[in-house]
Amino acid sequence: MNTAVSPAVRQYFTSIRAALAGLELFLGDRNSPLYRNTVVGEVIVPYLARLKASIACWENRIGFVEHFRISRAESGFPVFQNVLELENDRQSAEKRLASIPSADALREEMVDFILRQKAFPEALQARMAERLYLEQIGKGEIFSPFVLPETIRVAVNPKTMRPYYVVSWGAFDGSQTLPMVYMATIEDSSDNIVEMLVTEDGKLNPDVEIPLPVGGLLNPELASRFDDFASKNSAYSLTPVTIATNLDEDFPELHPKQLRRIVLGPFYSAGITENNARINDILSRVRKAENAWLLTWTVQEVFSKAERPAKSGFWSTTPAQEEFHIDTANLEAARMGVSAYEKHALVPHDAYQALYAAGEAAQVFGDYKVHVISGNQVVSEV
């Protein structure tokens, strides 16, 4: 790692790694709300792994680049340019690695340089950091600007006699610098799919082997179009009801019954982020810097309350349409364009104590569901 890296940058990576590890612990906690909702937890976990891999890559990258920017005043995550650069570097990693000496060779050169020059081998250290960075990219999947959809569950609705899929995909929003995970429950009325997957008694055909997860939408005739739709309809600026309505209109054969969006962030880190002066001031009083952070996320949901049947006439045919429920009695839900939403906050015990001692806990957390990490345990709804 480059010795020129500032303590503040090191602290940022220590904090965000701790926050993501804490979220991973929370997801695996049997008492957590997301553990009880196994589908949501199942969907988030692989995207969290992608985000952790991206953070590990960026931490290695600061050892050989001059600048690394985060969205200090907004999301608290690395700015979108870093996401784009990581994706570009992933595609060229193998070629670049071939031009860099092996890690063992670099270590030998570093030792030799120190012995001969009596100085620190900064240039060689930067090369080592670049190698570690490129190797890290190849170890696993990163959180790309857009993560292609995949089908993770298949079942049959016995009332409609249609198969339905649970499909997930990811997007890193460029304008808000927020990683997001989408999951949709979609019925498919395509004749060939119904005939292939649904038995006469309304069950999933046991003779059809489906090796889940399946890359893309399970319906191969619509998979490519669905990928394109998801890539164009995953911006944070689009409300969940807008995305669900667009999906309903663009695919007559598909019937979105539920759409969830999990928005990770903002992330707050003492001495680094500036997205909330009150929170940052209190976090700065936490004794251990590694515990001076707060991670929030929001789960948004829109669901169909009814399906208007298709209409056939002499001159035109109107496909079936979903009627999505929006909780207009809740101003925040109406603004978000959702049927329901949940706000969550994950915070180390030390940081929560600091907020509580300052008399700010109730005001800071408001309508958030608070989850406090203490050691290897998570206490929810404090």
Side-chain angles (χ1 to χ4, degrees):
M1 191 65 65
N2 193 331
T3 54
V5 175
S6 71
V9 172
R10 292 183 186 278
Q11 181 185 329
Y12 172 78
F13 279 103
T14 298
S15 296
I16 199 165
R17 276 193 283 105
L20 297 180
L23 180 54
E24 189 173 45
L25 179 66
F26 170 75
L27 292 173
D29 189 329
R30 291 182 176 274
N31 296 315
S32 80
L34 293 186
Y35 187 93
R36 291 195 293 273
N37 191 329
T38 55
V39 180
V40 177
E42 178 186 340
V43 166
I44 296 177
V45 166
Y47 294 94
L48 177 59
R50 285 175 175 272
L51 189 56
K52 289 174 65 178
S54 292
I55 293 296
C57 290
W58 285 321
E59 191 168 10
N60 281 321
R61 195 171 191 271
I62 61 175
F64 65 95
V65 296
E66 293 185 7
H67 302 288
F68 184 85
R69 294 177 55 224
I70 65 169
S71 178
R72 299 178 64 186
E74 294 173 341
S75 73
F77 283 98
V79 298
F80 190 57
Q81 183 62 31
N82 293 311
V83 182
L84 295 175
E85 290 173 352
L86 196 59
E87 180 67 15
N88 289 334
D89 288 346
R90 184 183 66 84
Q91 297 176 16
S92 62
E94 187 174 347
K95 183 178 180 180
R96 286 171 60 182
L97 270 173
S99 66
I100 300 176
S102 69
D104 288 341
L106 285 171
R107 290 190 190 98
E108 290 180 7
E109 286 189 58
M110 291 170 74
V111 171
D112 184 62
F113 184 94
I114 293 171
L115 293 175
R116 286 188 298 102
Q117 303 294 332
K118 309 298 182 185
F120 193 82
E122 292 188 6
L124 288 170
Q125 187 192 44
R127 291 288 275 171
M128 177 66 84
E130 184 175 7
R131 167 164 276 282
L132 292 174
Y133 166 72
L134 295 171
E135 287 178 344
Q136 181 66 43
I137 290 178
K139 285 181 180 178
E141 297 171 313
I142 57 174
F143 206 117
S144 303
F146 175 66
V147 182
L148 285 166
E150 64 176 15
T151 302
I152 62 170
R153 288 195 180 182
V154 183
V156 174
N157 182 342
K159 293 182 180 179
T160 62
M161 298 291 283
R162 298 171 182 161
Y164 67 85
Y165 322 126
V166 177
V167 186
S168 71
W169 67 95
F172 204 113
D173 187 78
S175 61
Q176 298 298 314
T177 322
L178 290 167
M180 301 179 297
V181 179
Y182 286 89
M183 59 178 295
T185 302
I186 304 168
E187 289 188 8
D188 191 342
S189 60
S190 305
D191 291 340
N192 59 331
I193 293 294
V194 172
E195 182 179 353
M196 178 175 64
L197 295 181
V198 183
T199 62
E200 291 183 0
D201 58 350
K203 301 289 179 63
L204 191 64
N205 189 347
D207 296 329
V208 178
E209 186 176 346
I210 305 174
L212 297 173
V214 174
L217 190 75
L218 188 62
N219 187 329
E221 294 182 3
L222 302 178
S224 179
R225 280 180 54 208
F226 188 87
D227 287 351
D228 186 59
F229 170 87
S231 70
K232 295 175 179 176
N233 286 268
S234 295
Y236 180 79
S237 59
L238 296 175
T239 65
V241 71
T242 298
I243 298 170
T245 301
N246 290 347
L247 175 58
D248 192 35
E249 293 177 350
D250 288 3
F251 295 87
E253 312 92 331
L254 300 181
H255 312 274
K257 300 300 180 180
Q258 182 187 56
L259 176 75
R260 283 194 179 105
R261 176 166 70 185
I262 299 97
V263 183
L264 294 174
F267 170 70
Y268 306 87
S269 178
I272 305 293
T273 57
E274 302 168 349
N275 34 16
N276 188 301
R278 181 189 292 115
I279 293 176
N280 294 328
D281 176 58
I282 296 171
L283 288 178
S284 67
R285 304 174 202 170
V286 177
R287 288 175 301 165
K288 295 182 179 180
E290 63 268 25
N291 291 332
W293 56 264
L294 168 64
L295 175 64
T296 65
W297 69 93
T298 304
V299 181
Q300 301 171 322
E301 176 189 357
V302 63
F303 60 81
S304 172
K305 60 183 179 181
E307 180 182 306
R308 293 197 298 271
K311 294 181 181 179
S312 298
F314 285 108
W315 310 111
S316 64
T317 298
T318 303
Q321 290 182 315
E322 302 297 327
E323 295 181 11
F324 296 106
H325 171 66
I326 300 297
D327 185 3
T328 53
N330 185 316
L331 293 179
E332 184 70 358
R335 182 190 66 80
M336 289 184 186
V338 297
S339 310
Y341 69 93
E342 288 183 354
K343 291 183 176 181
H344 295 264
L346 184 70
V347 59
H349 185 258
D350 289 358
Y352 183 79
Q353 276 192 320
L355 288 162
Y356 188 82
E360 300 278 2
Q363 188 170 1
V364 165
F365 293 117
D367 59 348
Y368 282 80
K369 296 185 177 183
V370 183
H371 315 286
V372 179
I373 295 180
S374 182
N376 290 322
Q377 292 185 322
V378 180
V379 180
S380 297
E381 302 300 323
V382 296

